[in-house]
Amino acid sequence: GLAACGSGGGIEGGDGGGDGGGDVDVSSADTVWRLAFNQTEEHPQYIAAVELGEALYEATDGRYGIEVYANELLGTQADVVNNVSEGSVEMMYIGGPVMESFNEDFIVFNLPYMFDSIEAQAGVFADTEVTGDLFSSIEESKGITVLAALFAGVRNVYNAERPIVEPEDLSGLKLRVQQSDSQVRMIEMMGGVASPMGQGEVYTALQSGVLDGAENNETVYNALNHDEVAEYYSYTRHLMIPDYLLMNTDILGEMSDEDREAFLGLIPDLVESANSGFMEFIDESIAASEEAGAQFNDDVNVEAFRERVAPLVEESINNPVRQDLYDAVQEYNEQFPAGS
Ligand code: GCU
């Protein structure tokens, strides 16, 4: 995946996040965990993970440290999650849709137009009564614990051909989606042709014309240079999908109670750091993409897209677990409506 990532430099994953700014050499810890990340070292999630590793080192007197591997160096999310399951990689960030292959109930948070605001989403993810069972649901079957859910931007479509205003404008355009059936269905309903693949392959596929476009937030669009090869970015605002911080369940269980408590106590700081850095990262990304010649189009018939995908939402809320999750989201949506 690395060569295909097309991010034009800055590929230094594996140096243990030594540029995090602290004086701590996390790689000298008694136990060094690897955390896999598929984006660049400028990303707030990367910075937050490096901070976590340093804070963990200090809190455990050097018993634990975390090295963060950026740029998909350890593989695509769909591949690395198997290593986390086996314990050969201890931690990773993963996009919500990839989780659906382990427990389909994760789909609720990956559905189009699910969250009305960033605050509503943050409220849901901070509410352990809502998320607790889901986040521990694959501990026994897969050996994976979900430590946190993070804001990962709002996703919009982009392509090399034209600005998108109506669903009809997507007709015939082949767009990359994340690796899950729900994402394929969604793009088909929105009017395009879906092609699921790992993030690192997208640039080359766009460049060679295998893909006409993709859908993602502004940060990926810029950081992976998709703006160079797909200049029309249109605000369909169809998704606000979380990223999750995953950990191998046994490795977490092997820690002393004291160390585990210290570690888990640091996770809210990671969420806070990653989420607060994201908004600024979006603004910087938009400015850089505009500089590169990208055109941002906010004249989109969002209601038309919402109507198109409504059946996907309906057919996906098809068991009591999902209904409860869905209802909880609606409560937070009421509390934190759009534009609030
Ligand atoms: C976002 C998200 C990633 C995900 C990526 C993708 O960047 O934060 O977790 O992998 O989109 O589209 O694959």
Side-chain angles (χ1 to χ4, degrees):
L2 253 195
C5 155
S7 71
I11 296 173
E12 295 161 15
D15 70 356
D19 58 355
D23 331 314
V24 183
D25 176 15
V26 291
S27 64
S28 71
D30 301 338
T31 301
V32 179
W33 294 334
R34 296 197 294 170
L35 188 156
F37 185 46
N38 71 348
Q39 298 172 74
T40 67
E41 294 173 0
E42 282 72 47
H43 197 290
Q45 289 177 5
Y46 175 88
I47 295 164
V50 170
E51 291 166 357
L52 173 69
E54 292 173 353
L56 176 64
Y57 183 98
E58 281 173 352
T60 61
D61 293 322
R63 284 187 292 282
Y64 291 93
I66 301 171
E67 291 189 344
V68 188
Y69 290 74
N71 296 305
E72 226 177 60
L73 193 73
L74 300 183
T76 67
Q77 291 182 342
D79 287 337
V80 182
V81 70
N82 295 309
N83 300 121
V84 173
S85 177
E86 290 157 6
S88 56
V89 172
E90 289 82 1
M91 302 178 74
M92 75 180 295
Y93 285 118
I94 193 165
V98 190
M99 297 298 283
E100 291 168 25
S101 61
F102 296 131
N103 176 359
E104 272 193 66
D105 293 338
F106 276 95
I107 195 174
V108 179
F109 298 147
N110 303 330
L111 290 168
Y113 302 107
M114 178 59 38
F115 298 99
D116 288 351
S117 67
I118 294 173
E119 292 76 14
Q121 190 192 53
V124 172
F125 293 151
D127 188 338
T128 50
E129 283 191 23
V130 175
T131 59
D133 288 348
L134 182 70
F135 287 4
S136 60
S137 66
I138 57 169
E139 289 183 338
E140 294 211 344
S141 57
K142 289 290 163 190
I144 293 172
T145 299
V146 178
L147 292 176
L150 301 154
F151 177 64
V154 176
R155 298 174 77 101
N156 305 287
V157 297
Y158 50 90
N159 74 90
E161 299 297 324
R162 51 187 174 262
I164 302 302
V165 181
E166 301 287 343
E168 290 70 30
D169 297 329
L170 283 179
S171 177
L173 295 183
K174 191 166 187 189
L175 307 182
R176 177 267 175 173
V177 295
Q178 295 176 83
Q179 291 148 300
S180 93
D181 294 343
S182 69
Q183 300 301 295
V184 173
R185 281 275 288 145
M186 177 194 68
I187 283 296
E188 286 172 354
M189 286 175 151
M190 287 172 72
V193 181
S195 177
M197 65 176 76
Q199 182 163 266
E201 294 174 64
V202 178
Y203 178 85
T204 311
L206 287 169
Q207 201 182 30
S208 66
V210 168
L211 287 174
D212 301 301
E215 53 83 47
N216 217 315
N217 60 56
E218 299 92 334
T219 71
V220 168
Y221 182 55
N222 177 246
L224 300 189
N225 296 333
H226 297 176
D227 49 11
E228 285 176 7
V229 282
E231 68 175 293
Y232 300 104
Y233 190 99
S234 300
Y235 279 101
T236 44
R237 298 196 164 82
H238 56 281
L239 288 174
M240 200 190 290
I241 283 184
D243 282 328
Y244 297 107
L245 179 64
L246 303 186
M247 167 115 204
N248 176 277
T249 305
D250 289 344
I251 290 168
L252 187 61
E254 280 159 15
M255 300 177 85
S256 70
D257 289 348
E258 199 188 327
D259 283 348
R260 187 182 324 105
E261 216 170 284
F263 172 55
L264 295 178
L266 296 170
I267 301 299
D269 295 344
L270 170 129
V271 174
E272 162 67 23
S273 168
N275 286 0
S276 66
F278 210 103
M279 298 325 269
E280 203 178 317
F281 193 41
I282 291 174
D283 291 342
E284 290 165 8
S285 301
I286 293 172
S289 285
E290 277 176 338
E291 191 113 324
Q295 303 196 29
F296 288 89
N297 165 42
D298 208 354
D299 174 26
V300 177
N301 188 351
V302 171
E303 274 319 305
F305 285 102
R306 193 196 298 268
E307 268 171 41
R308 287 276 193 120
V309 297
L312 175 61
V313 178
E314 221 162 278
E315 77 195 31
S316 302
I317 307 301
N318 60 6
N319 70 32
V321 173
R322 296 184 200 177
Q323 188 68 52
D324 284 352
L325 293 169
Y326 179 85
D327 292 345
V329 172
Q330 298 319 316
E331 275 173 37
Y332 280 95
N333 280 343
E334 266 166 47
Q335 203 178 327
F336 302 102
S340 62

